[in-house]
Amino acid sequence: MDNPIVVMVVEDDPMIQSVVQEALEEGGFDVVITSSGEEAVKLLGEQRHFRALLTDVNLGRDRMDGWDVGRFAREADPAFPVIYMTGDSAAEWASRGVPGSLLLTKPFAPSQVVAAVTQLLNSANPAAPPTA
């Protein structure tokens, strides 16, 4: 592929990293994985080739969380596709997630990851988080 679609995945659990990477690669995407919000922000700031962000919400105690990574990505590009993954923070999505993002609740099927990324990449005006 001449112009690969590169998705940044921010996840601190190696098992979930592996499942998500495999699903996205089988879906035709290139994947860059990092396990911390701090590293994700550094990479997003240095490299402009990412086309979407898939981030876990909880990335470790006293560390930058996925909500912050999503906001950082949107500051650089207000239309940047952001997908959050969480096992226990779904209720915070409306107040902390960026507008037009999607949320995957763990556990999820690998096909849901590909569908979410594809939906945001193909959508000119993705759905906003629900209002409280």
Side-chain angles (χ1 to χ4, degrees):
M1 188 185 296
D2 292 299
N3 291 318
I5 296 174
V6 182
V7 178
M8 174 179 284
V9 175
V10 188
E11 172 60 64
D12 58 344
D13 181 323
M15 186 183 321
I16 296 173
Q17 285 177 355
S18 178
V19 168
V20 169
Q21 180 173 9
E22 183 176 328
L24 288 171
E25 287 175 348
E26 286 179 6
F29 299 102
D30 285 358
V31 180
V32 173
I33 294 182
T34 182
S35 60
S36 77
E38 292 79 5
E39 181 68 16
V41 165
K42 180 181 176 193
L43 291 172
L44 285 166
E46 293 173 350
Q47 303 173 24
R48 302 288 182 221
H49 68 279
F50 296 107
R51 296 278 308 278
L53 171 68
L54 181 66
T55 182
D56 186 17
V57 169
N58 297 309
L59 296 168
R61 189 180 194 111
D62 298 326
R63 306 213 48 192
M64 176 180 268
D65 63 26
W67 305 124
D68 294 331
V69 177
R71 279 190 293 279
F72 180 87
R74 282 293 180 80
E75 287 173 8
D77 178 356
F80 196 79
V82 175
I83 299 126
Y84 298 104
M85 303 178 286
T86 186
D88 61 2
S89 299
E92 297 176 48
W93 181 41
S95 63
R96 301 195 63 198
V98 295
S101 61
L102 293 177
L103 179 81
L104 296 175
T105 303
K106 297 175 186 176
F108 48 77
S111 61
Q112 289 177 278
V113 173
V114 176
V117 171
T118 302
Q119 177 182 338
L120 288 186
L121 287 173
N122 290 332
S123 177
N125 190 11
T131 55

